[in-house]
Amino acid sequence: MSEQQQSEQPERRAGRRVVIVGAGMAGVQTAVALREQGFTGPVTLIGAEPHQPYDRPPLSKAVLLGKAEDSAFDIDFEALDIDLRLGREVTGVRPAVHELDTGSGPVPYDVLVIATGAEPVVLPGAEGVPGVHLLRTLDDAARLRPVLDERHGVVVVGAGWIGAEFATAARSAGCAVTVIEAADRPLAGAMPAEVAAPMAAWYAQSGAELLTGARVARVEPGRVVLADGRTVPAGAVVVGIGARPATRWLAGSGIALGPDGSVTADRALRTSLPDVYAVGDCASFPSARYGERLLVHHWDNALQGPRTAAANIIGAADDGPAPVVYDPVPYFWSEQFDRFVQYAGHHGGADTLLWRGDPAEPAWSVVWLRDGVLVAVLAVGRPRDLAQGRKLIEAGARLDPVRAADPSVPLKSTVRQ
């Protein structure tokens, strides 16, 4: 590097304005990662909500049950010289002039990071009906706390991860709970039938009623009407039927979106336009490990992706080395019905499923192989299987299927030599 390039480098790094849209986990971690990795230029973090940036997982647990006042991140944004602009919704982006449109005027950027997360899918016909709730924001949790405090009978629509977690919290608070699921089992969109079926028993064991194969026709004040004519009394209705990337504000921007609405980032988390990156729940990325594009709506992805994006933003500013590639082993956890459920990997292309333990027991796990290589693991009360499995997936380990199906053998000891 010449003396002139060396003298220009700090100026370029200091002069590029990075603007991050979305003040959830992914946006906050991108801002923090930029500072931790030595970026000294202006960083602006824009959030639509008026609250200090906060973590979402506690909303369905501690915050909802009143065991924590809030879930705000313990981050000193002022000390990090991060310009935090809250209560400001971004309505559009004009890449040709490098500007964002907001309700309080345009915001210029040199580098844009899209971190707007996902928004819950609304139950058709339930909008505006009194007593119908979503659980995505701090305000949602605040509205639901009195419901639990007063022990209203609660109907949960959707037996996915968020539905199970809310049902768990409602039962802990002493509420009568009915969960309505259109599919024939819980987690129908996330787990194979043979894995999800045993989880149905968890609802009854906790005192919740699970109705499967039940479609909601409409929601009326005080009750839910099913397609077959049955009615379910409801002091409150909580809808948890999925989420979609919050990217509608990008319409007309030229930033490429996938059929699922996600920003189609590349392996460096860059979008289809120069100087625009995307991280977290709103972005899909190509995985060489799994041979397909992944859209991961989980906390760990919102924590890990920003580090890659920050490194590539800084590298692009410095004409640095080849981009850092983002190809993680996806991971998430769920606390439900007195069980700690963990999952690592992606089982979509697996050809072999192996049980480790009896799903009728409190602790068991499942591993998935593809051509003998471990690609995913689900652990219920077996954290060691998850910890070891995650490392083995990262390493592309090939397992002995006979030994891997023996729950008494540590997973790390099932690797073929």
Side-chain angles (χ1 to χ4, degrees):
M1 183 182 295
S2 69
E3 290 184 8
Q4 181 180 358
Q5 287 175 316
Q6 286 179 330
S7 65
E8 288 176 352
Q9 185 184 44
E11 183 178 347
R12 291 182 62 199
R13 293 177 66 181
R16 287 167 62 84
R17 298 164 297 183
V18 178
V19 177
I20 303 161
V21 182
M25 170 63 83
V28 167
Q29 290 300 321
T30 301
V32 171
L34 283 165
R35 292 299 188 228
E36 288 180 343
Q37 295 178 31
F39 183 77
T40 58
V43 175
T44 298
L45 181 62
I46 302 176
E49 295 182 57
H51 311 288
Q52 279 292 115
Y54 60 88
D55 202 4
R56 293 190 189 280
L59 295 184
S60 61
K61 306 174 182 71
V63 173
L64 195 58
L65 293 173
K67 296 178 181 177
E69 288 304 312
D70 59 47
S71 55
F73 293 114
D74 185 17
I75 295 171
D76 190 335
F77 293 98
E78 185 176 354
L80 291 173
D81 193 22
I82 294 169
D83 179 13
L84 191 58
R85 304 185 188 182
L86 302 176
R88 184 174 301 190
E89 185 173 359
V90 177
T91 57
V93 57
R94 288 172 286 121
V97 293
H98 278 58
E99 282 188 348
L100 295 170
D101 291 322
T102 77
S104 53
V107 176
Y109 68 85
D110 294 310
V111 179
L112 172 64
V113 181
I114 301 168
T116 42
E119 56 191 8
V121 175
V122 176
L123 183 67
E127 301 96 325
V129 177
V132 177
H133 302 265
L134 299 170
L135 181 53
R136 183 70 183 175
T137 70
L138 195 61
D139 288 339
D140 292 337
R143 283 188 287 267
L144 276 165
R145 275 181 63 171
V147 172
L148 301 192
D149 290 343
E150 297 167 18
R151 298 186 179 180
H152 289 291
V154 176
V155 171
V156 180
V157 181
W161 299 113
I162 190 66
E165 290 185 1
F166 180 81
T168 299
R171 286 298 300 139
S172 296
C175 299
V177 176
T178 301
V179 180
I180 298 172
E181 172 56 51
D184 62 356
R185 61 188 186 276
L187 297 171
M191 289 289 141
E194 60 190 302
V195 176
M199 297 178 178
W202 299 356
Y203 289 78
Q205 290 167 7
S206 76
E209 182 179 11
L210 173 64
L211 303 179
T212 57
R215 295 190 174 275
V216 175
R218 63 186 181 277
V219 180
E220 300 174 349
R223 68 175 188 167
V224 175
V225 181
L226 303 182
D228 61 8
R230 288 180 292 171
T231 62
V232 182
V237 177
V238 177
V239 178
I241 55 175
R244 60 188 171 208
T247 56
R248 283 181 285 191
W249 64 282
L250 295 172
S253 68
I255 296 171
L257 304 179
D260 54 12
S262 66
V263 179
T264 53
D266 68 10
R267 61 180 192 163
L269 298 180
R270 298 171 300 201
T271 73
S272 59
L273 295 184
D275 297 321
V276 182
Y277 295 76
V279 293
D281 291 5
C282 67
S284 62
F285 56 90
S287 171
R289 185 191 312 280
Y290 292 106
E292 59 182 284
R293 179 169 286 275
L294 300 182
L295 175 61
V296 180
H297 280 181
H298 294 296
W299 185 90
D300 192 64
N301 178 52
L303 176 67
Q304 304 295 340
R307 297 170 184 167
T308 298
N312 288 325
I313 290 169
I314 294 170
D318 294 345
D319 293 329
V324 178
V325 173
Y326 188 62
D327 195 2
V329 174
Y331 166 74
F332 72 90
W333 77 94
S334 177
E335 296 174 276
Q336 51 184 269
F337 308 121
D338 295 323
R339 292 169 173 83
F340 187 47
V341 183
Q342 295 172 283
Y343 177 91
H346 176 66
H347 64 269
D351 52 42
T352 302
L353 183 154
L354 302 173
W355 289 90
R356 289 173 56 81
D358 183 349
E361 297 296 323
W364 50 274
S365 59
V366 173
V367 297
W368 286 267
L369 310 180
R370 183 179 62 205
D371 297 328
V373 175
L374 180 65
V375 293
V377 57
L378 172 75
V380 178
R382 287 179 66 98
R384 185 172 298 178
D385 275 4
L386 190 287
Q388 294 180 8
R390 193 176 183 183
K391 292 178 181 177
L392 295 176
I393 296 168
E394 185 77 42
R398 188 175 301 275
L399 305 189
D400 178 332
V402 175
R403 289 175 60 76
D406 184 345
S408 69
V409 178
L411 207 51
K412 66 181 180 181
S413 299
T414 70
V415 177
R416 286 188 182 275
Q417 302 301 321

